């Protein structure tokens, strides 16, 4: 098995790296709230700008936030973002979204890892069991709730997650960590060194998760083994540089019927040039191969090729122009089964886009951003994605902004090509040959402020007007996927941070959603819930971090989710606690206790019950 070979590589690398490790400096832990407000982010406008001036509902998860959370996977790290709904389904599956429409095949949230889009054209979403990074390498995760279609394209309807890892120069030396607990074991190793004119790093990671239990106590048969190795190399200078990086992963996940296997690889190259006069050029290309086999259901081999370029022009008077273009090619091959079929079994999907954005300085402290993207896809042809944002800074510590956007969720293979059973008559599903893009028109109003030296907060109100949402409608050939639903999502999201002293701080956030969906005249929906919506009306998160002297840390995180009506998921609250000890600078020992408030709870249905858990982690460096 390929994943067993990867696991062996990880174990060998860890043994080699255990001679010693150098722990990176706490990424942003020692910065004041005012300094954190000026951390550069790039997901809002595709150029670096201070967080305090970014006109969007954006939350930044820092590398130190991840370390102090005890997270061992990317989905677990995303729990830290108050604007995300994160529900764990079993040992490896998650349902993750922003602003509603959550499911295990959620399709309105775009995810990028170092500029590589990781959504699948199978359902326009993310297979979370296949996506991971070495969390020790993450510089920050920028989480935008709200549309980002003008810059990032179709499917960036409810939000964008942009995972940004550290440069190879920032991860020099050797690092290793070992973790063991009541539900998971993990080993990690990384080594970074110098190249002629640059730097490199190599890493390996292997994890084993135990099976979970269903409500009632029966085994969920979802034990998982996963391994991943990768590299990154950077050459050049801030004026001109080149990056080459890649990953190789594999895993096997048990299931009640038949196990499923996943494996894949990706390679990305990126060239950047800063001309020093305010203009810059960036060209990026990547290849991504994924293999997924659900035995007895389907097998998929997907090859994706992507090329894109963007050019920031030097400022001209009050204008700051950015434009770009790109093409993407998917070659998707499915091996069908008697249970279901994608027809045709092999699809070639092409996408192309061009975008332009103009940031106009109307007067000092008042900026207008106008942008538009023209995108073409295989299923629906041309899509137009405009956006307008107005940002006003009444003082240096305040930002009031508003935005109007149009975003679409383009059809995926699941919408057009899926039939069940695998041979006629299709009594369960007969595809959706006429399925069109889902459309959202979005209005946002936000306010961000540094109210005091030790207090900052963000609040955003939003209204999404939806058209052409997915339904399951009857037809003579069998139930067919159609665009029979419309409606709105209105809500408010807010979070803030208070640093009471140099040695302790608190962060809290909450979201309130109000969804109202209705069928179009003459339309029907055979789904139990309109549009398959499965969202709580509210959720909230609170984190507290304490530095106990110079060598100990104590962290708490509480998360609350309201009831998901119609899904047999009652409201629940969960508390995690972490205690860490640094006997010397290059050594960390930590204990993580999870789900302390209840003996067990469910986060998704159908899904597993999650019990109290404990784990011990050792992290060393040289």
């Amino acid at each position: 098995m390929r994943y067993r070979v990867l696991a062996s590589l990880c174990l060998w690398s860890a043994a080699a790296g255990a001679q010693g490790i150098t722990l990176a400096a706490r990424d942003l832990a020692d910065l004041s709230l005012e300094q954190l407000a000026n951390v550069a982010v790039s997901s809002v406008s595709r150029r670096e700008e201070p967080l305090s001036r970014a006109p969007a509902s954006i939350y930044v998860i820092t590398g130190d936030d991840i370390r102090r959370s005890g997270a061992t996977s990317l989905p677990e790290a995303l729990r830290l973002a108050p604007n995300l709904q994160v529900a764990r389904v079993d040992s490896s599956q998650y349902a993750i979204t922003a602003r509603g429409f959550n499911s295990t095949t959620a399709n309105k949230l775009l995810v990028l890892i170092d500029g590589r889009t990781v959504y699948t054209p199978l359902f326009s979403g993310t297979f979370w069991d296949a996506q991971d990074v070495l969390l020790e390498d993450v510089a920050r995760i920028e989480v935008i709730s709200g549309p980002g279609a003008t810059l990032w394209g179709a499917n960036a309807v409810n939000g964008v997650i942009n995972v940004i890892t550290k440069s190879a120069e920032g991860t020099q030396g050797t690092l290793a960590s070992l973790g063991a607990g009541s539900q998971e074991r993990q080993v990690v190793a990384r080594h970074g060194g110098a190249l002629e004119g640059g730097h490199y790093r190599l890493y390996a990671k292997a994890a084993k998760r135990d099976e979970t239990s269903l409500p009632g106590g029966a085994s969920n048969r979802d034990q998982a083994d996963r391994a991943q190795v990768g590299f990154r190399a950077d050459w050049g200078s801030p004026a001109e540089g080149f990056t080459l990086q890649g990953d190789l992963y594999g895993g096997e996940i048990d299931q009640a019927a038949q196990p499923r296997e996943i494996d894949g690889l990706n390679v990305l190259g990126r060239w950047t040039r800063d001309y020093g006069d305010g203009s810059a050029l960036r060209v990026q290309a990547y290849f991504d191969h994924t293999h997924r086999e659900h035995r007895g259901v389907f097998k998929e081999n997907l090859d994706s090729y992507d090329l894109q370029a963007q050019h920031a022009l030097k400022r001209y008077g009050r204008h700051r122009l950015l434009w770009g273009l790109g093409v993407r090619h998917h070659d998707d091959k499915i091996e069908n089964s008697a249970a279901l079929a994608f027809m045709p079994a092999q699809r070639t999907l092409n996408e192309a886009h061009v975008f332009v954005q103009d940031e106009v300085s109307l007067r000092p402290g008042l900026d207008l951003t106008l942008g538009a993207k023209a995108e073409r896809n295989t299923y629906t042809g041309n899509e137009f994605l405009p956006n307008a944002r107005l940002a006003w800074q009444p003082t240096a510590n305040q930002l009031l902004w508003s935005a109007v956007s149009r975003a679409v969720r383009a059809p995926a293979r699941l919408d057009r090509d899926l039939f069940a059973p695998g041979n006629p008559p299709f009594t369960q599903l007969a595809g959706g040959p006429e399925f069109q893009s889902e459309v959202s028109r979005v209005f946002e109003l936000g306010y961000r402020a540094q109210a005091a030296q030790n207090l900052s907060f963000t609040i955003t109100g939003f209204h999404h007007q939806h058209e052409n949402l997915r339904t399951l409608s009857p037809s003579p050939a069998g139930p067919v996927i159609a665009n029979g639903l419309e409606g709105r999502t209105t809500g408010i999201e807010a979070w803030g941070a208070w640093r009471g002293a140099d040695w302790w701080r608190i962060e809290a956030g909450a979201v309130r959603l109000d969804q109202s969906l209705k069928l179009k005249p003459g339309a029907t929906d055979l789904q139990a819930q309109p549009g398959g919506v499965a969202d709580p009306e509210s959720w909230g998160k609170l984190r507290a971090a304490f530095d106990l002297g110079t060598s100990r840390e104590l962290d708490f995180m509480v998360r609350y989710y309201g009831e998901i009506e119609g899904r047999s998921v009652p409201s629940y609250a969960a508390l995690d606690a972490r205690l860490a000890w640094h006997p010397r600078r290059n050594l960390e020992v930590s204990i993580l206790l999870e789900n302390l408030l209840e003996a067990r709870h469910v986060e998704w249905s159908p899904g597993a019950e999650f019990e109290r858990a404990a784990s011990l982690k050792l992290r060393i460096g040289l």
Side-chain angles (χ1 to χ4, degrees):
M1 291 289 192
R2 279 169 284 190
Y3 82 92
R4 290 195 177 98
V5 174
L6 284 173
S8 299
L9 286 171
C10 290
L11 292 169
W12 177 85
S13 298
Q19 299 300 317
I21 280 195
T22 225
L23 293 180
R26 297 182 184 178
D27 299 333
L28 301 174
D30 298 326
L31 299 184
S32 67
L33 293 184
E34 186 175 5
Q35 290 170 317
L36 286 171
N38 289 307
V39 168
V41 296
S42 58
S43 301
V44 176
S45 60
R46 278 209 177 197
R47 65 172 178 82
E48 289 197 346
E49 61 187 331
L51 173 62
S52 61
R53 298 192 62 181
S57 183
I58 179 172
Y59 182 85
V60 177
I61 302 170
T62 70
D64 197 64
D65 289 335
I66 296 171
R67 182 186 66 83
R68 297 191 67 149
S69 73
T72 58
S73 67
L74 179 57
E76 289 297 320
L78 294 177
R79 287 191 188 275
L80 298 172
N83 48 343
L84 287 182
Q85 179 192 352
V86 179
R88 188 176 176 186
V89 180
D90 57 27
S91 69
S92 302
Q93 292 189 88
Y94 291 80
I96 302 177
T97 193
R99 297 188 181 176
F101 295 95
N102 206 12
S103 77
T104 54
T105 56
N107 54 27
K108 295 177 177 59
L109 184 66
L110 190 68
V111 183
L112 302 104
I113 299 177
D114 282 330
R116 177 173 55 90
T117 302
V118 298
Y119 88 101
T120 171
L122 203 65
F123 66 88
S124 297
T126 301
F127 280 119
W128 290 106
D129 58 359
Q131 304 301 335
D132 207 357
V133 294
L134 190 67
L135 294 180
E136 286 82 357
D137 289 348
V138 173
R140 65 186 185 274
I141 303 175
E142 299 177 7
V143 180
I144 298 175
S145 43
T150 298
L151 294 180
W152 302 108
N155 307 327
V157 177
N158 282 3
V160 177
I161 295 174
N162 193 3
V163 181
I164 300 168
T165 65
K166 301 170 186 175
S167 68
E169 184 179 7
T171 53
Q172 295 296 282
T174 309
L175 178 146
S177 69
L178 301 171
S182 55
Q183 296 180 346
E184 181 180 7
R185 270 76 60 204
Q186 186 174 108
V187 56
V188 165
R190 184 193 71 207
H191 177 74
L195 296 168
E196 184 175 351
H199 300 83
Y200 75 91
R201 70 164 173 257
L202 306 171
Y203 79 87
K205 175 180 181 179
K208 181 181 181 64
R209 286 187 170 184
D210 296 334
E211 64 183 18
T212 59
S213 298
L214 294 169
S219 170
N220 199 26
R221 289 282 305 275
D222 59 348
Q223 174 182 303
D225 294 272
R226 194 182 189 284
Q228 183 165 317
V229 297
F231 73 95
R232 174 166 172 164
D234 299 301
W235 293 271
S237 66
E240 184 174 6
F242 180 73
T243 294
L244 181 67
Q245 63 187 89
D247 307 280
L248 173 68
Y249 66 88
E252 182 171 290
I253 303 164
D254 196 13
Q255 290 186 145
Q258 293 285 344
R260 70 179 184 268
E261 291 187 12
I262 57 172
D263 60 69
L265 63 91
N266 62 79
V267 180
L268 179 146
R270 180 172 53 250
W271 173 74
T272 58
R273 175 71 185 271
D274 188 339
Y275 292 96
D277 57 359
S279 63
L281 184 63
R282 172 186 175 121
V283 180
Q284 174 182 284
Y286 68 79
F287 166 75
D288 192 308
H289 168 78
T290 63
H291 166 84
R292 172 174 292 269
E293 181 177 2
H294 293 242
R295 296 178 192 171
V297 183
F298 77 96
K299 182 191 294 186
E300 180 190 29
N301 283 287
L302 172 67
D303 290 329
S304 301
Y305 306 83
D306 186 278
L307 174 64
Q308 55 183 278
Q310 71 175 52
H311 183 201
L313 281 67
K314 64 180 181 180
R315 184 178 290 277
Y316 178 74
R318 296 184 175 184
H319 299 268
R320 187 172 185 173
L321 284 168
L322 174 74
W323 73 280
L325 51 81
V327 292
R328 183 176 300 145
H329 171 86
H330 298 290
D331 185 13
D332 193 33
K333 300 177 182 178
I334 302 288
E335 290 186 22
N336 295 318
S337 70
L340 58 82
F342 287 86
M343 300 182 185
Q346 181 174 351
R347 270 277 195 187
T348 297
L349 301 172
N350 295 304
E351 303 165 27
H353 72 263
V354 59
F355 74 88
V356 62
Q357 178 174 276
D358 186 12
E359 298 179 44
V360 186
S361 177
L362 302 178
R363 61 178 179 82
L366 183 63
D367 298 308
L368 174 66
T369 301
L370 300 173
K373 170 175 280 191
E375 186 168 279
R376 184 173 182 82
N377 68 74
T378 298
Y379 285 122
T380 62
N382 298 323
E383 300 285 359
F384 183 60
L385 309 170
N387 172 267
R389 293 179 183 269
L390 185 65
W392 175 44
Q393 272 196 299
T395 68
N397 296 326
Q398 298 181 79
L399 179 71
L400 180 66
W401 63 273
S402 62
V404 180
S405 313
R406 182 183 187 271
V408 303
R409 200 279 292 181
R413 296 208 64 186
L414 184 147
D415 303 304
R416 289 286 191 101
D417 303 339
L418 181 60
F419 294 78
N423 299 291
F426 304 114
T427 56
Q428 299 175 26
L429 187 62
E434 304 300 323
F435 187 84
Q436 299 299 307
S437 293
E438 298 179 331
V439 179
S440 292
R441 293 177 174 83
V442 185
F443 308 88
E444 300 173 279
L445 179 64
Y447 178 68
R448 182 182 296 119
Q450 180 84 38
Q453 188 175 6
N454 62 349
L455 177 64
S456 64
F457 66 90
T458 294
I459 184 168
T460 304
F462 55 88
H463 176 79
H464 293 231
Q465 194 68 40
H466 308 291
E467 299 176 7
N468 296 337
L469 295 179
R470 186 167 60 193
T471 52
L472 189 61
S473 303
S475 78
V480 64
I481 293 177
N483 301 97
L485 199 64
E486 59 188 8
R488 61 168 177 81
T489 301
T490 303
I492 189 168
E493 51 198 13
W495 53 84
W498 178 38
R499 193 154 195 164
D502 290 341
W503 60 276
W504 68 273
R505 60 191 180 276
I506 292 176
E507 293 190 21
V511 175
R512 176 74 181 184
L513 286 178
D514 179 20
Q515 293 176 309
S516 177
L517 304 177
K518 64 180 181 179
L519 291 169
K520 295 179 180 179
T524 58
D525 192 357
L526 300 177
Q527 299 175 100
Q529 293 171 281
V533 171
D535 304 301
E537 292 184 351
S538 60
W539 66 84
K541 303 176 184 181
L542 183 146
R543 289 192 292 137
F546 303 89
D547 295 328
L548 307 179
T550 59
S551 62
R552 290 176 176 82
E553 299 168 336
L554 180 62
D555 299 273
F556 297 97
M557 178 173 177
V558 180
R559 62 185 188 276
Y560 166 82
Y561 283 94
E563 177 187 5
I564 302 179
E565 296 183 1
R567 298 288 302 215
S568 301
V569 180
S571 62
Y572 73 91
L575 168 64
D576 301 336
R578 173 183 174 272
L579 178 63
W581 176 43
H582 301 263
R584 61 176 188 266
R585 184 179 177 276
N586 62 345
L587 176 62
E588 177 184 274
V589 182
S590 61
I591 299 173
L592 178 66
L593 304 176
E594 300 177 88
N595 302 322
L596 296 178
L597 296 182
E598 298 179 288
R600 57 184 58 84
H601 70 270
V602 297
E603 301 183 10
W604 195 257
S605 180
E609 276 191 327
F610 299 102
E611 303 176 349
R612 295 188 177 106
S615 59
L616 176 67
K617 185 174 182 179
L618 174 67
R619 187 179 174 192
I620 54 177
L622 178 64

